[in-house]
C-alpha cells in the first residue's frame, strides 16, 4: 500500500519533429491556448492549468513525459523518500517546468517518464472560444512490454485502482479518481503511446467536433461507438504527428469506496463492478482503426 496518491492527469509533454504543426493543431483544431513559449517549447492550456499539453522540439514524435498532480497529503520530499524506500529511482527537480516549482521525476517499468507535483500555476486564459475545446485531458493509453509489471507499478506505487480489463492479459484500465480510466495499459512487444483522450461535454459536442475535424482535414478514423469498458462514446483521429487522438463523452463514473460504477441505462449488469470484457464496442460497431499506424 502506497501513501503516494495521484489525483489527476494534468499534462502530456510530446517530443515533436513538427512543433509548428502540432501547435497549430492544438490551437486551431483542439481549441487550446498558448500560455508560454520558452526555449522553443510551447505550453498550451485547456483552461485551468498553466499547461495540459507541452510540445517540445525533438527528433522523434513521442511522449516525453506525463504530469500528474498528487493529493497534496505529502510534501514532495516525503514522496521522494517513500519512492526511494520502495527502490524506485527518482529525483526532485526545482523549476524544471514553468508553473511547477517542484516536482519529482521517475520512470515506470516501461521507461515512461512521470512527473509528480502538488501544485501547478493557474492559466489566466480560460476556455477558448473557437476550436473543439474539450473539458479536459482525460486519459492516456500506452502499449507496454512489461505489461503486468507496469499495471502493478501504477497500483502499488502511485495508488491507482483497477477498474476493468479487456481480455485477461490484454488491456488493463486504471483510475486515480472517479473517471472509469485515467490510464489504459495494453500488452505489447513495444513500448509506445497507443492513444491520448480528451473529454467532451456531450453527444452534441461530439457531433460538432467531428464536423470540425473534417473541416481541418483530421477526419474520424473510427467511431462514434460506445465502448464496453468505461461505456464512453468515442471517436478517434490522427494529430499531425500521427498520434491517435480519442474524443469521448459519457464515461462511467467510478465510486472507489464501493467498487461499483454509477448506474446507467446502458449497463447490462446492476450494480456494475470492475470485470473482464471480451470486446471493445458495446454497439457492435466493427473496430476499423488501423492499429499498424500507431
Ligand atoms: Fe481511450
Amino acid at each position: 500500500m502506497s501513501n503516494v496518491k495521484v489525483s489527476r492527469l494534468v499534462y502530456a509533454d510530446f517530443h515533436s519533429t513538427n512543433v509548428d504543426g502540432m501547435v497549430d493543431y492544438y490551437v486551431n483544431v483542439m481549441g487550446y491556448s498558448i500560455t508560454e513559449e520558452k526555449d522553443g517549447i510551447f505550453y498550451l492550456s485547456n483552461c485551468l492549468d498553466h499547461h495540459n499539453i507541452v510540445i517540445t522540439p525533438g527528433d522523434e514524435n513521442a511522449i516525453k513525459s506525463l504530469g500528474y498532480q498528487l493529493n497534496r497529503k505529502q510534501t514532495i520530499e516525503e514522496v521522494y523518500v517513500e519512492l526511494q524506500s520502495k527502490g524506485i529511482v527518482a529525483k526532485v527537480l526545482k523549476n524544471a517546468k514553468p508553473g511547477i516549482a517542484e516536482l519529482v521525476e521517475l520512470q515506470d517499468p516501461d521507461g515512461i517518464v512521470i512527473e509528480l507535483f502538488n501544485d501547478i500555476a493557474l492559466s489566466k486564459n480560460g476556455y477558448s472560444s473557437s476550436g473543439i475545446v474539450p473539458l479536459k485531458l482525460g486519459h492516456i493509453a500506452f502499449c507496454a512490454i512489461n505489461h503486468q509489471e507496469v499495471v502493478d507499478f501504477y497500483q502499488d506505487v502511485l495508488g491507482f485502482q483497477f477498474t476493468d480489463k479487456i481480455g485477461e492479459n490484454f488491456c488493463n484500465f486504471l483510475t486515480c479518481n472517479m473517471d472509469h480510466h485515467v490510464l489504459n495499459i495494453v500488452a505489447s512487444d513495444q513500448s509506445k503511446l497507443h492513444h491520448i483522450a480528451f473529454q467532451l461535454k456531450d453527444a452534441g459536442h461530439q457531433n460538432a467536433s467531428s464536423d470540425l475535424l473534417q473541416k481541418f482535414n483530421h477526419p474520424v478514423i473510427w467511431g462514434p461507438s460506445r465502448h464496453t469498458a468505461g461505456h464512453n462514446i468515442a471517436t478517434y483521429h490522427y494529430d499531425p504527428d500521427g498520434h491517435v487522438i480519442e474524443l469521448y463523452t459519457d464515461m462511467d463514473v467510478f465510486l472507489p469506496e464501493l467498487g461499483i460504477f454509477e448506474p446507467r441505462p446502458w449497463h447490462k449488469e446492476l450494480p456494475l463492478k470492475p470485470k473482464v470484457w471480451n470486446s471493445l464496442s458495446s454497439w457492435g460497431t466493427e473496430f476499423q482503426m488501423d492499429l499498424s499506424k500507431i
Side-chain angles (χ1 to χ4, degrees):
M1 188 67 182
S2 177
N3 292 314
V4 177
K5 177 72 177 74
V6 164
S7 284
R8 69 179 179 120
L9 170 67
V10 176
Y11 61 80
D13 186 342
F14 288 93
H15 267 140
S16 176
T17 58
N18 175 28
V19 171
D20 289 347
M22 285 288 275
V23 171
D24 179 73
Y25 163 81
Y26 272 104
V27 171
N28 293 310
V29 182
M30 293 295 282
Y32 275 54
S33 63
I34 297 169
T35 48
E36 191 163 341
E37 180 194 356
K38 187 177 180 184
D39 303 325
I41 303 170
F42 284 81
Y43 298 84
L44 300 111
S45 175
N46 195 166
C47 171
L48 176 69
D49 309 299
H50 178 274
H51 54 267
N52 303 108
I53 294 292
V54 183
I55 309 296
T56 302
D59 55 10
E60 60 175 354
N61 298 328
I63 288 285
K64 177 174 179 283
S65 65
L66 299 174
Y68 298 94
Q69 189 166 17
L70 295 159
N71 66 353
R72 305 173 78 182
K73 291 184 177 174
Q74 293 177 305
T75 66
I76 288 299
E77 284 300 325
E78 288 169 339
V79 169
Y80 170 74
V81 168
E82 181 161 340
L83 291 171
Q84 280 218 313
S85 74
K86 292 176 181 291
I88 308 290
V89 176
K91 53 187 174 185
V92 176
L93 301 174
K94 310 275 189 188
N95 301 310
K97 271 187 160 67
I100 303 178
E102 192 177 39
L103 61 82
V104 59
E105 182 189 278
L106 64 155
Q107 294 184 14
D108 76 11
D110 247 40
I112 299 281
V113 176
I114 296 167
E115 296 168 345
L116 306 174
F117 49 88
N118 278 327
D119 294 296
I120 180 168
L122 298 177
S123 165
K124 297 182 176 67
N125 297 358
Y127 283 110
S128 295
S129 55
S130 63
I132 292 172
V133 196
L135 294 179
K136 68 179 182 186
L137 170 62
H139 63 269
I140 303 280
F142 53 85
C143 304
I145 299 169
N146 304 302
H147 180 246
Q148 192 57 53
E149 200 180 338
V150 170
V151 170
D152 292 344
F153 168 87
Y154 281 100
Q155 292 179 95
D156 298 343
V157 177
L158 300 183
F160 279 73
Q161 289 194 51
F162 164 77
T163 49
D164 266 330
K165 288 181 183 181
I166 294 178
E168 195 53 54
N169 295 302
F170 171 57
C171 180
N172 286 55
F173 295 80
L174 302 174
T175 190
C176 60
N177 48 45
M178 293 178 73
D179 291 346
H180 175 275
H181 53 281
V182 175
L183 286 177
N184 42 331
I185 302 164
V186 183
S188 176
D189 58 0
Q190 297 182 63
S191 175
K192 60 182 180 179
L193 182 69
H194 188 282
H195 66 269
I196 178 172
F198 298 86
Q199 184 183 11
L200 303 180
K201 287 179 283 191
D202 52 27
H205 195 188
Q206 193 129 41
N207 289 350
S209 75
S210 293
D211 285 335
L212 254 172
L213 289 172
Q214 180 66 27
K215 177 181 173 183
F216 283 98
N217 202 26
H218 292 275
V220 171
I221 55 174
W222 184 72
S225 187
R226 187 183 293 287
H227 279 298
T228 51
H231 287 104
N232 39 315
I233 298 174
T235 63
Y236 296 81
H237 67 276
Y238 292 113
D239 75 9
D241 278 359
H243 304 302
V244 174
I245 307 296
E246 175 188 350
L247 301 177
Y248 71 90
T249 190
D250 262 3
M251 179 176 279
D252 277 342
V253 176
F254 186 52
L255 304 177
E257 292 81 8
L258 303 179
I260 62 171
F261 302 102
E262 285 185 349
R264 295 288 185 269
W266 43 85
H267 289 173
K268 291 182 178 175
E269 300 166 31
L270 295 169
L272 183 64
K273 300 177 181 177
K275 58 177 278 184
V276 181
W277 300 83
N278 296 316
S279 63
L280 288 169
S281 171
S282 71
W283 288 352
T285 317
E286 188 177 350
F287 194 72
Q288 294 171 324
M289 197 162 72
D290 184 357
L291 294 170
S292 67
K293 289 188 175 180
I294 294 174

